[in-house]
Amino acid sequence: MAKDVFDPMTPLPVSPQVARRMRDVMETPRRKSSGGRIGTPSRSTIGDRYHNSRTPVQAPPAPVAAGPTSSPSTASCLGRSPRGLPPGISSPRASILCTRNLETFTKQKLGVAALSPSGGAKRGKPKERLYDRFIPNQEVIDRASAQFNLRDNTDRDKLKTLDPDTLAYQETVAKACGVSLGKRILAFNVDAPEASRHDFKATWNRPLRNPNSLVAKRRIKIEPEKILDAPGLSDDYYLNLLDWSSTNMLAIALENTVYLWNGNTGEASQLCQVARNDQYVASVQWAPDGSHLAVGLSEGDVEIWSLESLKKMRTMRGRTSRVGVLSWDKNVLSSGARDGSIWNHDVRIAQHRVAQLIQHESDVCGLKWRPDGQFLASGGNDNQVVIWDARSSIPKFTKTEHMAAVKALAWCPWQLNTLASGGGSHDRKVHFWNSSTGGKIATVDTDSQVTSIIWSLEYKEFFTAHGFPNHHLSLWKYPSLTKVGDLEGHEARVLHTALSPDGQTVATGASDENLKFWKIWETRKKNGKCTTKVEKDVTEELANAYKRLAIR
């Protein structure tokens, strides 16, 4: 029994869509060819699509026995055989070329996939499927939002010109109604699932730290290390009654008496007492070397006392108003009085007043020399901050941004051109000034009356003491101005503060008649040993120079 042999000239089974396209092409009327003849098929006819020019034309086959597979239509489609082949035998190359021509025609001209005896395209390539429409996925369509967007005739471009509050309100209302504004009406695919993973960039985008390095955590004690009674401590915002020397001696004025507390031994003793009962001590200030103490009185006199002999060295007179603040610069002592004047006293000469600075209109309650002695800062009850040049009696800069009296003044020890000033109960702000340009660097609102400012000698931080209404202490970072924390321990406003010579402990005196010591800054440790600053502090150099000072 003879095996079935595939005849390339046998019509291939096609889909109804392919048959419809082939019938449309074949029924197209013939047109004139380029030679002007009628009846000659052009290049776009069906004959050229089925037979390539390189395909040999077969000769009419020899008569064969009629069988169930032979038909007149099949015989009419056969051509001549190639050279060298007997009639009736088709060429394998002819079958391959005819199959390729049919696939090319159906793909390029008809636009649909062809069906071939081999099952479609070549092996290894997926079968091409072309569709004439897209059917949306009914399950993923938001019908409420689609109906709303179909009926909505609002111009979305014009809505972009509205203020953000109106747009936010519209989105909130649409969300409450379960409608999404501007969403696509039809959806063809299911939305991709949202990533549920954590945002690692926000967590791990930090500076890398050596895992082997041991960084000790810094802890700040919220309770004072020591508490001393201070009966008779005056509740006056404009006085300065507390100071700590470089020799670890703390001086405090209680009414008309000055007491000394030794930080090394913890012993307290009396230094001096005002002779007249109607006078009181208004200010105290240690010399840079800690060997002498200046005492300002309510009647305007300024006294110099020796720590070694515990005796009064001299009295500088000439004022008629209270001296509420003092500040040293080498051998020059500056004093601020209630009348608004500032005097510079040279303690080495008999005619002690060497300069008079006039700018304030009211009580001078803040006075600080810069550590290098080039500038003097003053604050008064007239809400002014004045920066003076040491070589002139004319103000260099005058700042009026504060809305209350300015008592708190402090120069930054590691950035000498930075001055911090704090306002009273109606201002409650700390301003930072550039003494070189006179510009304001930054401002922080403390929400409380500022009575004192102290800079850390080792950390990039500063300390503030407050009065009304909270009576607390605060620690801040600089220059970020972020608050590290608050310390609460006084029942009344904190009016006086002093820093220990090692820069670690702050003593605070309040009108509740308590003197408390707080361990704010601890010295950084290296290799398990406490180390001091490598660079000498400016105040130490001034103290060494002041040791050669002879007070007459």
Side-chain angles (χ1 to χ4, degrees):
M1 184 176 184
K3 296 183 180 179
D4 295 337
V5 179
F6 171 72
D7 189 357
M9 293 296 102
T10 303
L12 299 176
V14 295
S15 63
Q17 187 177 1
V18 175
R20 183 171 59 256
R21 296 294 300 272
M22 294 176 61
R23 183 172 59 255
D24 295 341
V25 172
M26 297 179 64
E27 292 178 357
T28 304
R30 297 182 180 181
R31 59 181 178 179
K32 282 188 177 183
S33 63
S34 58
R37 298 179 181 178
I38 299 177
T40 304
S42 62
R43 293 184 180 180
S44 59
T45 58
I46 191 65
D48 289 339
R49 294 188 180 93
Y50 274 102
H51 299 281
N52 194 295
S53 60
R54 294 179 297 176
T55 304
V57 181
Q58 297 180 356
V64 294
T69 58
S70 62
S71 63
S73 60
T74 304
S76 62
C77 294
L78 297 178
R80 294 181 301 172
S81 300
R83 294 180 180 179
L85 294 177
I89 301 177
S90 60
S91 172
R93 177 178 176 83
S95 63
I96 297 174
L97 293 177
C98 293
T99 305
R100 290 180 179 177
N101 291 341
L102 178 60
E103 293 179 355
T104 304
F105 166 74
T106 54
K107 290 182 181 179
Q108 296 182 357
K109 302 302 180 179
L110 302 182
V112 295
L115 296 177
S116 62
S118 60
K122 296 181 179 180
R123 295 181 179 179
K125 293 184 179 181
K127 185 184 297 183
E128 298 182 10
R129 296 181 180 180
L130 303 178
Y131 305 97
D132 60 346
R133 70 186 67 182
F134 293 95
I135 301 177
N137 192 339
Q138 302 292 335
E139 297 180 357
V140 298
I141 295 178
D142 188 358
R143 299 186 180 278
S145 301
Q147 293 178 3
F148 175 79
N149 293 324
L150 285 173
R151 294 184 176 88
D152 187 16
N153 298 325
T154 308
D155 190 358
R156 295 296 174 184
D157 295 335
K158 293 183 180 180
L159 291 179
K160 296 180 181 179
T161 59
L162 298 178
D163 58 303
D165 295 338
T166 304
L167 294 176
Y169 175 75
Q170 291 183 356
E171 293 179 357
T172 304
V173 174
K175 185 177 181 180
C177 298
V179 175
S180 300
L181 298 178
K183 188 176 182 180
R184 296 182 61 177
I185 299 175
L186 299 179
F188 303 100
N189 295 316
V190 181
D191 295 338
E194 297 182 358
S196 59
R197 295 180 300 175
H198 182 67
D199 188 7
F200 292 101
K201 291 184 178 181
T203 305
W204 300 103
N205 191 13
R206 302 175 183 173
L208 297 179
R209 178 182 297 175
N210 186 6
N212 297 326
S213 63
L214 298 178
V215 181
K217 293 184 179 180
R218 178 186 169 199
R219 297 181 180 179
I220 302 175
K221 298 180 180 179
I222 61 176
E223 297 293 335
E225 288 192 337
K226 187 184 293 295
I227 300 177
L228 299 177
D229 292 334
L233 186 61
S234 178
D235 185 13
D236 194 336
Y237 176 81
Y238 303 98
L239 304 184
N240 295 269
L241 306 177
L242 185 66
D243 194 29
W244 208 329
S245 71
S246 59
T247 59
N248 204 14
M249 295 293 292
L250 183 70
I252 183 172
L254 304 177
E255 293 181 348
N256 60 347
T257 307
V258 177
Y259 294 91
L260 300 179
W261 179 79
N262 192 329
N264 298 324
T265 62
E267 298 179 356
S269 60
Q270 179 179 333
L271 175 64
C272 64
Q273 186 176 8
V274 180
R276 295 173 53 180
N277 294 330
D278 57 346
Q279 292 184 353
Y280 58 90
V281 179
S283 58
V284 294
Q285 184 72 28
W286 285 102
D289 63 347
S291 60
H292 297 85
L293 178 67
V295 180
L297 304 179
S298 59
E299 296 298 325
D301 298 340
V302 178
E303 299 178 350
I304 306 296
W305 288 78
S306 173
L307 179 62
E308 183 179 0
S309 62
L310 301 180
K311 294 182 180 180
K312 183 171 61 175
M313 303 300 296
R314 68 175 299 179
T315 301
M316 295 180 292
R317 297 181 175 87
R319 287 186 178 275
T320 59
S321 61
R322 180 183 65 184
V323 179
V325 61
L326 299 168
S327 183
W328 285 91
D329 175 39
K330 298 180 182 178
N331 59 296
V332 176
L333 175 64
S334 298
S335 61
R338 177 178 284 181
D339 59 2
S341 63
I342 300 173
W343 286 11
N344 290 340
H345 309 269
D346 192 340
V347 298
R348 301 172 299 178
I349 60 179
Q351 300 296 329
H352 53 86
R353 191 180 75 174
V354 294
Q356 184 177 4
L357 310 178
I358 303 297
Q359 176 64 27
H360 292 281
E361 301 175 356
S362 185
D363 198 340
V364 178
C365 51
L367 202 62
K368 286 290 182 180
W369 276 99
R370 202 168 81 168
D372 59 356
Q374 294 186 6
F375 296 101
L376 173 68
S378 62
N381 195 26
D382 56 356
N383 309 342
Q384 291 186 8
V385 176
V386 184
I387 300 177
W388 308 83
D389 195 321
R391 300 165 295 181
S392 175
S393 59
I394 300 175
K396 183 178 182 180
F397 300 110
T398 301
K399 302 300 177 182
T400 59
E401 276 77 1
H402 286 287
M403 305 301 295
V406 181
K407 176 185 178 182
L409 293 172
W411 292 94
C412 181
W414 29 268
Q415 192 172 345
L416 293 181
N417 63 340
T418 301
L419 172 67
S421 62
S425 57
H426 295 287
D427 182 73
R428 306 180 180 183
K429 293 182 177 60
V430 177
H431 296 306
F432 299 88
W433 312 96
N434 189 331
S435 61
S436 301
T437 62
K440 184 167 64 174
I441 303 175
T443 300
V444 59
D445 192 352
T446 63
D447 295 330
S448 187
Q449 181 187 33
V450 184
T451 59
S452 179
I453 300 174
I454 296 177
W455 289 93
S456 174
L457 302 179
E458 190 170 359
Y459 297 87
K460 303 296 182 181
E461 298 174 350
F462 64 96
F463 172 89
T464 56
H466 302 278
F468 299 119
N470 300 324
H471 318 307
H472 67 283
L473 311 172
S474 298
L475 185 61
W476 308 79
K477 288 185 177 295
Y478 185 85
S480 63
L481 302 182
T482 56
K483 182 181 290 188
V484 178
D486 293 332
L487 301 176
E488 297 180 358
H490 288 283
E491 298 178 358
R493 58 178 180 171
V494 184
L495 296 177
H496 315 286
T497 60
L499 181 64
S500 62
D502 61 359
Q504 300 184 29
T505 306
V506 176
T508 59
S511 56
D512 58 1
E513 298 183 349
N514 285 327
L515 181 63
K516 299 185 178 183
F517 297 84
W518 308 82
K519 192 67 171 293
I520 304 298
W521 298 290
E522 293 183 358
T523 304
R524 292 189 176 95
K525 295 182 179 181
K526 294 182 180 179
N527 299 329
K529 297 181 180 180
C530 296
T531 58
T532 57
K533 298 176 63 177
V534 179
E535 300 180 356
K536 283 188 175 182
D537 192 83
V538 180
T539 56
E540 294 180 359
E541 297 180 358
L542 298 179
N544 295 332
Y546 193 80
K547 290 181 180 180
R548 299 184 295 270
L549 176 64
I551 300 178
R552 298 179 184 177

